[in-house]
């Protein structure tokens, strides 16, 4: 249920599950210029409806929904 957060400039690499994830109910957040690679699950994942959070200029290979790392 967190909202209004800015997650910027992080490296979330080689984790056992996901790199950076927005759990259901965590909306109104901004994820920008993060690098996420080599995670077992998704590098970037947002469980909320598309557009509930802003994803811009992030670098990753495996995202869900598709394309959130390519936005911006």
């Amino acid at each position: 249920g967190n909202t209004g957060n800015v997650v910027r400039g992080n490296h979330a690499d080689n984790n056992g599950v996901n790199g950076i994830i927005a759990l259901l109910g965590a909306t109104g957040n901004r994820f920008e210029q993060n690098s996420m690679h080599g995670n077992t699950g998704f590098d970037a994942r947002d469980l909320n409806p598309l557009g509930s959070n802003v994803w811009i200029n992030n670098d990753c290979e495996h995202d869900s929904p598709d394309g959130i790392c390519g936005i911006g």
Side-chain angles (χ1 to χ4, degrees):
N2 288 321
T3 189
N5 298 293
V6 176
V7 180
R8 178 185 306 130
N10 295 283
H11 290 267
D13 301 325
N14 303 312
N15 291 295
V17 185
N18 298 299
I20 294 178
I21 183 171
L23 295 175
L24 193 59
T27 60
N29 300 296
R30 184 175 182 93
F31 300 88
E32 60 184 39
Q33 299 175 340
N34 298 290
S35 176
M36 303 152 278
H37 296 279
N39 298 290
T40 301
F42 290 99
D43 293 322
R45 189 163 191 199
D46 194 337
L47 298 178
N48 299 284
L50 196 60
S52 297
N53 292 299
V54 175
W55 294 80
I56 187 166
N57 294 330
N58 294 286
D59 180 34
C60 77
E61 297 166 353
H62 300 99
D63 52 3
S64 176
D66 289 339
I68 60 173
C69 279
I71 297 173

